[in-house]
Amino acid sequence: MNKLLSVPIKEVSQKIRGSAVRPSEICKASVKLTSVVKPLNAYITVTSDVAEEQARAADERQRRSSLLGQLDGIPVAVKDNYCVKGEPTTCASRMLANFTPGYSATVYERLRSRGAVLIGKTNLDEFAMGSGTVDSLYGPTKNLWGSEVLSEFYSHGPDSPRVTARSGKDAWRIAGGSSGGSAVAVATGTCYAALGSDTGGSTRNPASYCGLVGLKPTYGLVSRHGLIPLLNSMDVPGILARTVDDAALILNAVAGPDEADPTTVRREYEPINLPETIDISNLRVGIPKEYGVRGISEEVEGCWAKVSRLLEEAGASVVPVSLPHTDYSIVCYSVLNRCDVASNLACYDGVEYGHRADEWSSAHELYKRTRSEGFNDVVKGRILVGNYFLLAENYERYYVKAMRMRRLIARDFDALWNGNVDLLLTPTTLTEAPRYDQFVRLDNQTQCLIQDHCTQPANMAGLPAINVPIELSRGGLPLSLQLMAPLFHEQRLLAVAKWIERTVRFPRLQLTNSCSLE
């Protein structure tokens, strides 16, 4: 059973269809594994009762030869900013610590309609405001890579460098954020795929640090209904998986128009079909010079050069390009983010739902105490700054100017696509996963400015983007790259990502026999 938790979805689905294993057996092993990796703090809630009930239903469908498809009986996890009916949905905040929604997000409903089994709700930075999953009410999530758990229970091949878990309270590696819990849930094998959210890189960043595929679809391709919003015009449901094929399978399950979300594109979704043989000889790949920024590590630059060379050797044309407004993107995003945060979080006032202060003498006092107690300092800071930007005397200077800059950033990308560039290849993160004690030396805002530099522009323009793990650093930690494509070109994006995945052969983690899950 250990090996089965580490294989691609297609392979385990074949085992289920062939009755070689029951969904309830896989579910039992997955739930048990959540206990083994509990020190990493990937989950806020392990939904073991729900999972067991759903797995038993999959067993019955297996018995009747009426399985719902390749996801039937497959354990998945959901970031805890997606509503799941009857289950806590906290956004890792005291404000929603006791909130249980009466409906489910569309993406979860679509996974369930295909038989997927919910293992749990995963940890995140409070209200998805962060790049490390270190600012959660429930404590930080630790990266599997470099941890004592990896040293004891996992292997990634005899020829790969080995990570020695460092001693010391705060010397572990961050998982990235804000979807760090979802990334660690997949990396550990407790689930085969997980939903994250991606507003400035919150799916691709943890995928990079945890050695996973992290897909941000085109804005409007996947419903946001039931995703508690951060930035309405940039939030996109993200997918974390171990392989590109798995990511495509999850995308096919959740994508498409939704009447409950008016921002979804009103056209029928055409499922992604990735061929076994992928020809990239006519591909034109752009290398934007603005992504080779100060702070990028020598090893990430080496990965970038290596994959560029592999693409050229396979017949692709790799050309230098420019996106001249890239350096303004993260500043523009900081303004727009805080304006939306101030607006979206105004509803948390202690009146209808969420946390309510125990003592108050007036409505004003109720709002003040509730919001002061319910939000952490990061969230409160963004609300205050957002309200400042939205003041009548500041609106044109900040918000309107940021929206104009956003248009210029999108036009930079359009110019490249119209100039016959098919895809862009960039770093995802600038380094391997930082140590926690080093990461927290800088405040949340400063870290987001650093961590989101390469990922955020895709959100600004609404583009699809994907993280692909490439190799291990000298210290044995994942190094990754990002591909970006024109709007709604997920087929090409995923096909080239699969080609890179096959070519570089990133050393994937396998559970060892020392982790008994029978």
Side-chain angles (χ1 to χ4, degrees), residues 211-222:
L212 300 173
V213 172
L215 173 64
K216 172 216 167 299
T218 300
Y219 182 86
L221 187 65
V222 181

Side-chain angles (χ1 to χ4, degrees), residues 274-420:
L274 298 179
E276 290 303 311
T277 302
I278 300 169
D279 180 12
I280 65 166
S281 60
N282 294 318
L283 190 70
R284 189 172 172 86
V285 180
I287 306 295
K289 64 180 182 179
E290 290 81 7
Y291 284 66
V293 296
R294 179 182 178 184
I296 188 171
S297 75
E298 177 187 341
E299 289 184 296
V300 170
E301 282 190 315
C303 271
W304 201 6
K306 171 185 174 180
V307 174
S308 298
R309 184 176 64 254
L310 290 172
L311 289 166
E312 282 189 310
E313 290 173 352
S317 176
V318 179
V319 296
V321 297
S322 178
L323 293 161
H325 293 96
T326 297
D327 288 343
Y328 302 107
S329 184
I330 194 67
V331 178
C332 173
Y333 170 70
S334 296
V335 173
L336 298 177
N337 176 293
R338 282 144 186 79
C339 291
D340 259 30
V341 165
S343 175
N344 285 328
L345 273 60
C347 63
Y348 301 110
D349 54 16
V351 176
E352 278 196 77
Y353 59 89
H355 174 72
R356 177 182 293 181
D358 292 331
E359 297 181 7
W360 45 276
S361 57
S362 65
H364 176 77
E365 185 73 9
L366 170 63
Y367 301 156
K368 177 182 176 181
R369 286 183 175 272
T370 292
R371 292 167 69 79
S372 179
E373 295 170 4
F375 295 131
N376 71 5
D377 289 343
V378 172
V379 176
K380 285 185 283 191
R382 293 198 187 192
I383 291 171
L384 290 170
V385 174
N387 282 326
Y388 174 79
F389 289 152
L390 292 171
L391 289 172
E393 61 265 33
N394 294 331
Y395 186 78
E396 288 279 340
R397 181 182 177 188
Y398 292 103
Y399 184 77
V400 173
K401 186 175 288 187
M403 288 296 289
R404 288 172 179 163
M405 181 55 65
R406 181 178 183 179
R407 187 178 303 161
L408 294 176
I409 293 163
R411 286 177 179 174
D412 284 351
F413 285 106
D414 290 341
L416 293 184
W417 310 138
N418 295 334
N420 296 320

